[in-house]
Amino acid sequence: MLLLAIESSCDETAVAILSGEPGQPARILASEIASQIELHRVYGGVVPELASRNHSLHLRPLVEQALATAAISLKDIDCFAATSGPGLASSLLIGATAAKALAVAAGKPFIAVNHLEGHLLSPFVATGKVPPHVALIVSGGHTLLLDVAKPGHYRRLGSTRDDAAGEAFDKVGKMLGLPYPGGPEIEKTAKGGNTEAFSFPRSMLKDPSFDFSFSGLKTAVLYTLTDRNPDYGTPRTSDLPDLCASFQKAVIDVLIAKTLRAARHTGRDTIALSGGVSLNQALRHAFTAACAKEGLTLLTADSGLCTDNAAMIAFAALLQHFDGHQSPLDEDIDPNLALAT
Ligand code: KG4
Ligand code: ZN
């Protein structure tokens, strides 16, 4: 079974080709990404109009590159898939329309994939098997805690009430004068910093829900900067490692506390981390230690599958295909597509 998937929900154009059989590890034959990070960096965030224009420019060469890397031709592909939401409407349209067109031209099925399901399933590409677990998706746009009975059966436990974890990293990075995206920059700068130097809030820890909130933490960093420097704008360079380490620790503490509580609540013995923020090594180390202490198994995605990519979309589509599912060609994109209620 050979499947080609396109991901274009935000600022990365990505095409992947996977081969797989039910219950077997999926083989990534190609996973190509045309990153737009440099393009958007000057604006400090993603500009939707620029993103969609660049998706249309890069998509066709990227499909050809993926086929060349996989050493196959278009007629070998058994099924086509694309992200249909959530994301930027103008960006989603490019990838979804292209995948549908390829499917029609080849007379093969099309499968629409929820971007969040792609992230959620990314830790299981290597095994092809998805055990019942608690999933934490931490990306630039989402912070979502779910109970997963099996693929396609998701129950929402909690989500962020304001900023996503990655968004908080990016906004705090911007405040600190670090380049976009702030997540990896904060992680780098935090190395050698003191996590206790600043006492930042751990919001909603006492709240019985599984929801998160990161806007108070973001404001606390801003107030700290303002207190130190009335002409806010350039914090002292020497404070940066401590500020980054203290902020990062505050995010990690809350993510771990709520996820472990969710595992206890649901009785699941496995936790799976996904999304761009799950690349953060401090987060991975802290989760590894916390899970070991509670006798829980921790699964994470390979590094190439954490930030936006098409291999995770292809894998999610592959599992849907094995389940006998295919999407109608008039299935529309949905910028606010939900994964579970
Ligand atoms: O999953 P992703 O590529 O995009 C969305 O679907 O949103 O995640 C991108 C997010 C950005 O906010 C970025 O700052 C964050 O992941 N990120 C990190 C790290 N690497 C990427 N956050 C913290 N530490 C990192 N090492
Ligand atoms: Zn994503």
Side-chain angles (χ1 to χ4, degrees):
M1 169 73 200
L2 284 175
L3 191 145
L4 184 149
I6 298 174
E7 153 64 35
S8 69
S9 63
C10 189
D11 60 341
E12 313 282 26
T13 322
V15 178
I17 300 173
L18 248 65
S19 84
E21 298 301 328
Q24 297 298 314
R27 278 184 55 221
I28 302 174
L29 303 183
S31 182
E32 313 292 334
I33 301 181
S35 175
Q36 298 183 14
I37 285 186
E38 292 304 328
L39 187 76
H40 298 280
R41 181 164 280 158
V42 279
Y43 304 100
V46 177
V47 183
E49 173 63 23
L50 276 183
S52 62
R53 251 192 268 167
N54 274 274
H55 286 312
S56 13
L57 280 179
H58 292 299
L59 198 48
R60 187 175 175 161
L62 217 54
V63 169
E64 280 161 9
Q65 196 177 314
L67 291 167
T69 306
I72 55 168
S73 68
L74 210 49
K75 65 177 172 19
D76 299 320
I77 304 288
D78 301 302
C79 182
F80 294 86
T83 305
S84 63
L88 300 169
S90 51
S91 288
L92 288 164
L93 262 177
I94 309 281
T97 309
K100 285 178 189 173
L102 286 165
V104 172
K108 299 284 169 58
F110 163 74
I111 295 180
V113 176
N114 184 311
H115 179 82
L116 295 171
E117 185 174 30
H119 277 304
L120 182 145
L121 295 171
S122 61
F124 308 99
V125 174
T127 60
K129 296 184 182 76
V130 183
H133 67 278
V134 164
L136 175 67
I137 305 172
V138 266
S139 70
H142 300 269
T143 303
L144 194 56
L145 202 48
L146 298 143
D147 180 40
V148 178
K150 59 180 182 174
H153 291 71
Y154 312 124
R155 184 165 63 93
R156 185 184 159 286
L157 298 169
S159 60
T160 183
R161 294 198 180 166
D162 37 60
D163 293 341
E167 191 180 356
F169 268 96
D170 295 342
K171 286 180 176 169
V172 167
K174 203 168 178 178
M175 279 180 210
L176 297 175
L178 298 171
Y180 167 85
E185 298 293 331
I186 287 182
E187 172 167 26
K188 241 187 281 163
T189 314
K191 289 207 172 98
N194 177 2
T195 56
E196 311 297 325
F198 295 91
S199 110
F200 291 137
R202 270 69 172 157
S203 302
M204 297 194 64
L205 260 196
K206 294 201 176 82
D207 187 281
S209 79
F210 293 108
D211 285 344
F212 303 90
S213 165
F214 294 108
S215 71
L217 171 58
K218 188 185 63 187
T219 310
V221 177
L222 178 63
Y223 284 175
T224 304
L225 294 172
T226 321
D227 286 352
R228 305 196 134 229
N229 178 1
D231 304 318
Y232 160 66
T234 15
R236 273 177 299 183
T237 324
S238 56
D239 283 338
L240 273 181
D242 286 350
L243 280 165
C244 288
S246 301
F247 162 78
Q248 181 172 270
K249 181 72 167 37
V251 176
I252 292 172
D253 281 355
V254 179
L255 291 176
I256 291 184
K258 292 259 169 167
T259 309
L260 261 55
R261 200 193 292 165
R264 275 179 232 122
H265 171 80
T266 54
R268 303 290 189 209
D269 60 6
T270 301
I271 287 174
L273 287 185
S274 60
V277 181
S278 75
L279 272 177
N280 188 289
Q281 289 301 316
L283 175 85
R284 286 191 178 210
H285 289 146
F287 254 106
T288 304
C291 286
K293 210 164 145 200
E294 300 229 359
L296 299 167
T297 302
L298 178 70
L299 297 170
T300 51
D302 288 347
S303 58
L305 294 173
C306 290
T307 46
D308 289 349
N309 65 89
M312 67 181 192
I313 302 302
F315 181 64
L318 210 54
L319 296 191
Q320 284 195 42
H321 178 81
F322 295 152
D323 245 10
H325 180 78
Q326 78 175 66
S327 307
L329 284 170
D330 61 356
E331 180 157 328
D332 207 357
I333 54 123
D334 181 354
N336 301 310
L337 188 63
L339 184 57
T341 45

